[in-house]
Amino acid sequence: MHFPATTPQNSLIQANSDSEAVLAWLAEYAQRPATLRSYRKEAERFLLWLASRGQTLASIKRGDVHDYRRFLAQPHPAAQWIGPPLPRSHAQWRPFNGPLSEASIQHAFTILGGLYSYLNHAGHLAGNPFRLHKPPRERSQPALERFLERDAWAHVCDTLAQLPDDSARAIAQRERALWVFSLLYMSGARRSEASQAVMGDIFEKRGRWWWRVNGKTGVADIPVSDALLAALQRYRQHLGLPALPTPGETTPLIGKLAGSQAMQQGISDKALYLIVKEVMQRAAERAEEPLRSTLQQASTHWLRHTAASHQLDAGLSLLMVSQNLRHRSIQTTRRYLHSEDDARHDAMQLLELTPPGKA
């Protein structure tokens, strides 16, 4: 779809339409695939909404921003905007799966504010209606502990060990699930990093194995422990591949179910999410409360948090774990150091403080 726009004389980008201007902005994120997908989705939704109103990026005023917020909270007419998750090329594809939560709306506004800032700095637009009002900062709340304790993780591992193996397809699903959980737990990788990776990203250097990840914070090497390497070898043996990957190998690190052609196709990060959710649901069905409720909520990102927590509990330093998870700040990693809270609580028990009313 083509969205006309007037390009100012002093613009630093070559764009003769809103679509071309947005593409120029998205090109800045070509090396960050997960960010690119998220930004492209929000920009496309916004452009489609503008087209439905006969507006352009330059014509938006603050009142239109309020209209868009209300629209995201309840896209209408629903038949035009809302549909089930489908490939973008499908005839029944729709921009939304349903109304957005307040957090998702705020995320969309942050992205669109960034788009307008970019086009302003490029001299393509003048003004940013998304940045005229900054919502009041909410008081910070204690972070939710979205990780699995040791007993919960052991229960998940037991569930994985008992996955069905009564058919070739069931075996293929079990082996892939075992590999997925091993990879995410022992590396702490994000699901987008795992779904995009190929076998050749795992390499040997000075007798040690590493996984080169191109993720949210750039390119980094994650240590591959002996246990993770053994899990990789098991998965590769299931696929009929040599035990160890070779330099430049393009076989997906997590592929579609085994088959002569399927194994050469990687899964999407959404498919990876669904694999983890299915196993967590199986584990929940075998558990009692409160573990059942915990497992019903658990997802791929919980495995990343679990990896951080268990690495710290095992005695790895904050710096090492921060490097493994590629956190920008070591304070982010500190959130998973639950032993600090425990030690602080235990220390309070040692104080000889006399409560009121006692001599």
Side-chain angles (χ1 to χ4, degrees):
M1 187 175 293
H2 187 77
F3 300 88
T6 301
T7 304
Q9 292 287 334
N10 62 344
S11 178
L12 299 178
I13 60 174
Q14 294 180 338
N16 296 314
S17 69
D18 281 355
S19 295
E20 291 180 5
V22 169
L23 288 173
W25 169 66
L26 291 174
E28 305 289 347
Y29 301 94
Q31 302 306 313
R32 296 165 59 184
T35 300
L36 176 61
R37 284 195 300 273
S38 177
Y39 285 17
R40 182 174 57 207
K41 177 179 68 177
E42 296 303 338
E44 181 178 31
R45 286 171 169 174
F46 187 54
L47 290 179
L48 289 170
W49 180 78
L50 289 178
S52 72
R53 292 162 58 102
Q55 291 184 274
T56 65
L57 291 173
S59 72
I60 290 296
K61 308 299 182 186
R62 184 63 187 172
D64 299 311
V65 172
H66 294 315
D67 287 346
Y68 190 57
R69 175 180 288 278
R70 288 187 287 269
F71 171 78
L72 292 180
Q74 192 63 57
H76 55 277
Q80 176 183 340
W81 295 98
I82 299 176
L86 293 169
R88 180 65 178 82
S89 57
H90 195 284
Q92 300 301 315
W93 174 87
R94 296 292 183 269
F96 297 90
N97 302 140
L100 298 191
S101 67
E102 183 56 35
S104 295
I105 292 173
Q106 192 55 48
H107 179 64
F109 271 41
T110 299
I111 291 172
L112 295 174
L115 165 63
Y116 270 84
S117 290
Y118 176 86
L119 295 179
N120 271 263
H121 283 100
H124 187 81
L125 293 178
N128 187 344
F130 285 90
R131 296 285 171 85
L132 287 177
H133 172 69
K134 191 172 184 179
R137 180 177 294 178
E138 297 181 358
R139 290 185 177 182
S140 60
Q141 299 293 327
L144 294 176
E145 296 193 346
R146 298 185 299 168
F147 77 103
L148 301 177
E149 299 278 6
R150 288 285 180 179
D151 59 340
W153 174 244
H155 182 79
V156 170
C157 291
D158 185 62
T159 300
L160 285 163
Q162 296 187 43
L163 288 177
D165 59 356
D166 52 357
S167 69
R169 183 174 181 82
I171 292 172
Q173 290 174 326
R174 182 194 64 184
E175 292 298 322
R176 186 175 63 180
L178 284 167
W179 168 234
V180 162
F181 274 77
S182 297
L183 179 65
L184 296 180
Y185 172 70
M186 287 191 273
S187 70
R190 301 175 178 90
R191 80 175 193 233
S192 59
E193 296 166 345
S195 64
Q196 296 162 17
V198 296
M199 293 288 184
D201 294 334
I202 294 181
F203 64 97
E204 186 180 20
K205 180 174 65 176
R206 295 195 299 273
R208 295 175 172 84
W209 285 86
W210 301 83
W211 175 18
R212 180 153 296 164
V213 171
N214 186 1
K216 185 177 180 180
T217 55
V219 178
D221 293 343
I222 300 175
V224 175
S225 65
D226 290 345
L228 181 54
L229 188 63
L232 172 63
Q233 290 173 314
R234 171 173 174 158
Y235 181 58
R236 287 177 63 86
Q237 181 181 22
H238 164 70
L239 296 178
L241 298 171
L244 296 171
T246 56
E249 184 178 346
T250 59
T251 306
L253 194 58
I254 305 172
K256 296 187 176 180
L257 293 185
S260 58
Q261 295 181 346
M263 63 182 286
Q264 294 301 321
Q265 300 173 7
I267 64 174
S268 66
D269 60 352
K270 180 62 177 294
L272 179 54
Y273 172 85
L274 293 175
I275 290 170
V276 171
K277 287 297 290 184
E278 181 181 355
V279 172
M280 291 298 188
Q281 183 58 39
R282 284 178 177 268
E285 291 169 358
R286 302 175 57 245
E288 302 292 337
E289 294 292 357
L291 179 56
R292 175 179 295 175
S293 295
T294 297
L295 293 171
Q296 286 174 333
Q297 299 176 63
S299 65
T300 48
H301 211 62
W302 282 54
L303 293 181
R304 178 171 166 82
H305 292 185
T306 300
S309 297
H310 290 189
Q311 287 179 28
L312 289 166
D313 288 348
L316 271 69
S317 70
L318 269 173
L319 178 59
M320 286 184 179
V321 178
S322 182
Q323 290 173 332
N324 288 344
L325 272 75
R326 289 143 290 120
H327 287 151
R328 288 192 175 96
S329 168
I330 201 168
Q331 295 306 316
T332 303
T333 317
R334 185 178 292 278
R335 293 182 303 172
Y336 306 112
L337 194 56
H338 308 289
S339 58
E340 279 192 348
D341 289 339
D342 295 341
R344 188 157 52 94
H345 191 281
D346 292 345
M348 288 297 292
Q349 310 305 321
L350 303 177
L351 291 176
E352 295 182 358
L353 298 179
T354 303
K358 289 191 176 183

